[in-house]
Amino acid sequence: MKFAALLAVSAASLFAVPAIAQDNRDASQDFDGPYISIGGGASLQGSDRGESLIFDTDQDGTYGDQVTTVGDTDAFGPGFCNGAATGTANVGCRNDKDGPEFFGRLGYDKRMGNFVLGAVIEGGHSVARDSVSGFSTTPASYTISREADYQANARLRAGYTPGGGALFYVTGGGAYARLDNKFTTTNAANSFDDNGKTNAWGYTVGGGAEVMVTNNIGLGLEYLYTDVKDKDYVVNVGAGTADPATNPFLLNGGGTDIRRSDPNFQTHSVRGTLSYRF
């Protein structure tokens, strides 16, 4: 609902620009050649219901093991939830964090009549955060979070301009993100080590519209769906001050590795652009 409302308001703002039609402009030159853009908007988290933490209790590289207590019960019997834990005794989480984003891009368009083909290279930053938490019978909570330190994409776009002045397009290509991963827990007995920042690769697709308000200045509205995958982030659980004979993470002898079940970091972006065409 929030995504639809944001998109509607943004679209109304774009097409309310009074300077779209100017009699002294040469619309036949629109959307042809190089340009630079800056922009910003909102990154919204997609639905990741059903995500959990997964475990490798013998550290053989295969995940999906059950962390078992000395009484042969599931140490994570209380379960998991999507988001950052709000406590330890109950399975409760805060919603994932949506937030602003900003970016810059270089692009080139080739106009052929009413059709436009182009290429875009873009880089920027978003504060959107995606978390998942697990709860043990101790009780204790364990939360893994990730957000993009920076992200980039290289994509093509194809569009239609009804005589110049406005361009409507679809776009897609490859995407990259440098992910800042964090792990927090209320377990003070075991030791926990992780590998911090990781690289994620994937794709982005979307569409948008752009209008020329002068011969060189354009305003745009764009939607992008981005999906990048990272299987490299791992939390290693060690002994710390815990008793290896009774601690569920240590019963197999060497400790336990933790990873999140869904390696995909997915965002919906609604953004405005300001472009200068050379």
Side-chain angles (χ1 to χ4, degrees):
M1 200 58 141
K2 61 186 176 181
F3 167 71
L6 181 58
L7 185 59
V9 170
S10 301
S13 300
L14 173 64
F15 291 103
V17 176
I20 291 177
Q22 294 185 12
D23 293 337
N24 61 345
R25 288 186 54 253
D26 182 3
S28 66
Q29 303 302 310
D30 290 342
F31 311 113
D32 193 49
Y35 64 92
I36 58 173
S37 301
I38 58 173
S43 289
L44 311 177
Q45 287 287 297
S47 173
D48 54 1
R49 278 182 253 170
E51 189 178 8
S52 67
L53 302 179
I54 54 176
F55 307 94
D56 177 10
T57 58
D58 53 10
Q59 298 181 313
D60 65 352
T62 302
Y63 288 80
D65 301 333
Q66 178 175 286
V67 180
T68 305
T69 68
V70 289
D72 201 30
T73 61
D74 184 359
F76 280 81
F80 307 89
C81 65
N82 305 305
T86 57
T88 58
N90 298 310
V91 181
C93 284
R94 295 186 296 273
N95 290 333
D96 286 333
K97 179 183 178 182
D98 299 330
E101 64 173 59
F102 55 88
F103 61 90
R105 72 167 59 142
L106 299 174
Y108 186 90
D109 286 330
K110 177 62 178 177
R111 181 171 169 181
M112 296 164 285
N114 289 337
F115 295 95
V116 176
L117 294 178
V120 174
I121 298 175
E122 179 179 281
H125 174 71
S126 165
V127 301
R129 183 181 304 126
D130 178 27
S131 303
V132 60
S133 298
F135 301 83
S136 66
T137 54
T138 327
S141 65
Y142 306 79
T143 298
I144 292 177
S145 300
R146 60 189 170 196
E147 61 183 274
D149 264 357
Y150 57 88
Q151 48 201 7
N153 62 68
R155 48 193 168 87
L156 300 176
R157 71 177 191 170
Y160 178 79
T161 177
L167 174 68
F168 304 90
Y169 63 88
V170 294
T171 185
Y176 165 80
R178 178 64 170 172
L179 296 182
D180 185 8
N181 304 283
K182 289 185 171 60
F183 174 77
T184 57
T185 181
T186 59
N187 177 341
N190 293 96
S191 62
F192 298 89
D193 295 305
D194 67 349
N195 55 334
K197 298 184 180 183
T198 54
N199 300 309
W201 299 88
Y203 67 92
T204 185
V205 293
E210 184 177 351
V211 295
M212 298 300 298
V213 295
T214 73
N215 285 330
N216 301 102
I217 304 297
L219 296 177
L221 172 67
E222 186 173 70
Y223 162 78
L224 286 180
Y225 170 77
T226 303
D227 185 347
V228 293
K229 180 180 289 187
D230 164 40
K231 285 189 174 182
D232 295 331
Y233 182 68
V234 177
V235 178
N236 311 113
V237 187
T241 59
D243 182 356
T246 60
N247 187 270
F249 289 120
L250 308 175
L251 291 181
N252 278 344
T256 294
D257 291 338
I258 306 175
R259 205 170 70 189
R260 57 193 306 160
S261 64
D262 186 357
N264 297 82
F265 183 34
Q266 303 163 332
T267 55
H268 301 270
S269 298
V270 179
R271 60 253 290 265
T273 64
L274 171 64
S275 300
Y276 180 84
R277 292 183 172 271
F278 297 95

